[in-house]
C-alpha cells in the first residue's frame, strides 16, 4: 500500500473555514493521471494540486491542477495555496521580508512572491502569497441578443448586464473567463442563475465559467463565480477570474489606483478577500498579480493500493 500525505488549506481566507478550500499533495511522484483525477474527485474540492519535480531549472517544482472533473492548465487559488504548503514543507528557504520563487504550470513558469513575518519562535512564516498571472487577453464585447441571453441565464438581474464602459466579455490571464458587470452589489447577491443556461453560454464562449461582479465605489468589488462545466455550482474565491477582472478594468481605465479588493463567497458563507494589482495600461504590457492569505485546516494521509 502507498501512503500519500496531503494538506487542506483555505485560500484567500482571513480566518480558518473561510475562503476557498484547496487540497495539496506535496509529493505526487508515482501517481498516474487517472489516480490524480480520482483523488481530486475523492476530496471533491473545487481544485486539488499535485506537486512534482520540474524539468525546468528555473522552477522550484511543477504543479498539476485538477477539478473533480478535469485537469486545468492554470487556476488562481491553487497557485496561492500550493506555494504556502511547499514553504511549510521546507521545499525552499524563507527570507525576510519576502521570498521569490518560480513554479511550473501548463501555461509556463510563473513567479510567486511569499511575503514573510516572524513566527514568534525565531523563524519566519508566510503572511501572504502573491501570484503573477499570464499576459491578459481580452475578447470581443458580448452585446445584443447574446447579452440578452446572458441576462436570462443569470435570472434577469436588476439593472441588466453590462455597464456603459464595461460590456460583458471573455478575458484570460491563463484561463478564459466570461466577466459580467452588474449595476450593484445587491444585484450580485440576488442572482438566481439557471445553471444549465450558464453552462451553455460559458461553453459557447469557451469560458471556464461566468464571473459576475459589481464595483462598490470604495476600491472594492463584490463578485460571484458560476462554473457548472467544471463540476461546481459556485466558487467561493476565484483567483484566475479576479486577475482577469483587474486586467479588464485597467484596460477600460476603470481600475482605481491600480489595485482592487475583490470580495467573493459571501453568499456561500465562505467570505474571501482577493487583492488584485495591475501594472501597465495595455494588455500586452500588463503584469497582473493576485494575492491572499492562506489558513491551514487539515493534514492527512491517503492510502492507495501499491
Amino acid at each position: 500500500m502507498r501512503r500519500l500525505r496531503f494538506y487542506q488549506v483555505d485560500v484567500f481566507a482571513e480566518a480558518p473555514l473561510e475562503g476557498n478550500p484547496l487540497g495539496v499533495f506535496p509529493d505526487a511522484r508515482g501517481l498516474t493521471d487517472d489516480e490524480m483525477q480520482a483523488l481530486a474527485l475523492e476530496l471533491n474540492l473545487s481544485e486539488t494540486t499535485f506537486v512534482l519535480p520540474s524539468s525546468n531549472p528555473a522552477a522550484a517544482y511543477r504543479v498539476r491542477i485538477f477539478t473533480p472533473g478535469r485537469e486545468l492548465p492554470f487556476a488562481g487559488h491553487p497557485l496561492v495555496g500550493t506555494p504556502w504548503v511547499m514553504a511549510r514543507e521546507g521545499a525552499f528557504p524563507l527570507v525576510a521580508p519576502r521570498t521569490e520563487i518560480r513554479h511550473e504550470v501548463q501555461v509556463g513558469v510563473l513567479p510567486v512572491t511569499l511575503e514573510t513575518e516572524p513566527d514568534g519562535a525565531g523563524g519566519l512564516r508566510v503572511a501572504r502569497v502573491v501570484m503573477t498571472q499570464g499576459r491578459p487577453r481580452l475578447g470581443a464585447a458580448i452585446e445584443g441578443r447574446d447579452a440578452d441571453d446572458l441576462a436570462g441565464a443569470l435570472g434577469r438581474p436588476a439593472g441588466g448586464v453590462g455597464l456603459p464602459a464595461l460590456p460583458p466579455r471573455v478575458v484570460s490571464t491563463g484561463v478564459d473567463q466570461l466577466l459580467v458587470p452588474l449595476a450593484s452589489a445587491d444585484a450580485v447577491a440576488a442572482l438566481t442563475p439557471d445553471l444549465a443556461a450558464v453552462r451553455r453560454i460559458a461553453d459557447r464562449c469557451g469560458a471556464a465559467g461566468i464571473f459576475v461582479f459589481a464595483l462598490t465605489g470604495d476600491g472594492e468589488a463584490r463578485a460571484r463565480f458560476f462554473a457548472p462545466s467544471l463540476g461546481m455550482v459556485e466558487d467561493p474565491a476565484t483567483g484566475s477570474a479576479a486577475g482577469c477582472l483587474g486586467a479588464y478594468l485597467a484596460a477600460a481605465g476603470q481600475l482605481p489606483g491600480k489595485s482592487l479588493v475583490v470580495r467573493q463567497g459571501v453568499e456561500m458563507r465562505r467570505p474571501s478577500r482577493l487583492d488584485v494589482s495591475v501594472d501597465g495600461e495595455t494588455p500586452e504590457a500588463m503584469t497582473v498579480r493576485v494575492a491572499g492569505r492562506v489558513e491551514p485546516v487539515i493534514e492527512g494521509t491517503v492510502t492507495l493500493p501499491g
Side-chain angles (χ1 to χ4, degrees):
M1 305 296 285
R2 290 174 292 164
R3 296 175 64 83
L4 302 170
R5 291 183 306 107
F6 77 96
Y7 291 78
Q8 185 170 315
V9 295
D10 289 338
V11 183
F12 300 121
E14 297 184 277
L17 308 182
E18 297 182 355
N20 200 347
L22 173 72
V24 181
F25 286 83
D27 184 357
R29 289 175 295 179
L31 287 175
T32 67
D33 292 1
D34 287 345
E35 286 173 331
M36 292 182 196
Q37 186 64 77
L39 286 167
L41 180 59
E42 179 74 17
L43 294 187
N44 201 31
L45 303 172
S46 57
E47 281 106 6
T48 298
T49 63
F50 299 87
V51 180
L52 298 160
S54 176
S55 60
N56 189 319
Y61 51 82
R62 176 187 174 208
V63 186
R64 296 183 66 179
I65 306 165
F66 286 80
T67 73
R70 65 184 174 97
E71 186 173 7
L72 296 178
F74 173 84
H77 89 284
L79 299 186
V80 171
T82 302
W84 187 96
V85 168
M86 297 310 290
R88 184 159 174 158
E89 286 281 293
F92 45 82
L94 292 176
V95 297
R98 60 187 59 87
T99 301
E100 308 281 352
I101 67 161
R102 291 178 177 268
H103 54 194
E104 180 187 2
V105 293
Q106 283 190 25
V107 299
V109 175
L110 300 176
V112 182
T113 300
L114 298 97
E115 298 174 351
T116 58
E117 62 186 9
D119 64 4
L124 295 172
R125 64 187 173 204
V126 178
R128 200 175 70 139
V129 180
V130 185
M131 61 171 296
T132 299
Q133 301 194 350
R135 195 70 68 195
R137 291 185 293 103
L138 277 65
I142 295 174
E143 301 172 318
R145 183 171 180 176
D146 289 339
D148 187 65
D149 289 346
L150 178 57
L154 293 172
R156 300 288 173 190
V161 297
L163 299 172
L166 296 170
R169 69 173 73 235
V170 174
V171 181
S172 175
T173 56
V175 174
D176 288 349
Q177 308 286 14
L178 175 53
L179 304 189
V180 182
L182 298 188
S184 68
D186 288 343
V188 171
L191 286 173
T192 55
D194 176 341
L195 293 175
V198 164
R199 180 170 188 162
R200 286 195 299 271
I201 290 173
D203 289 350
R204 188 166 71 222
C205 294
I210 296 182
F211 189 73
V212 185
F213 72 92
L215 300 176
T216 56
D218 51 4
E220 296 193 0
R222 275 286 299 277
R224 298 175 71 180
F225 182 70
F226 305 102
S229 294
L230 298 182
M232 68 181 80
V233 173
E234 185 170 354
D235 194 35
T238 315
S240 59
C244 291
L245 175 58
Y248 169 69
L249 294 175
Q254 301 290 314
L255 184 64
K258 295 187 177 182
S259 65
L260 183 73
V261 174
V262 178
R263 303 284 185 180
Q264 192 181 337
V266 175
E267 294 74 18
M268 303 176 68
R269 295 188 293 178
R270 301 283 312 193
S272 305
R273 173 178 173 144
L274 303 89
D275 298 319
V276 182
S277 63
V278 181
D279 292 325
E281 297 180 356
T282 60
E284 58 272 14
M286 285 180 187
T287 299
V288 178
R289 298 180 179 90
V290 178
R293 298 182 66 89
V294 179
E295 295 286 345
V297 179
I298 298 171
E299 294 183 41
T301 304
V302 172
T303 302
L304 296 179

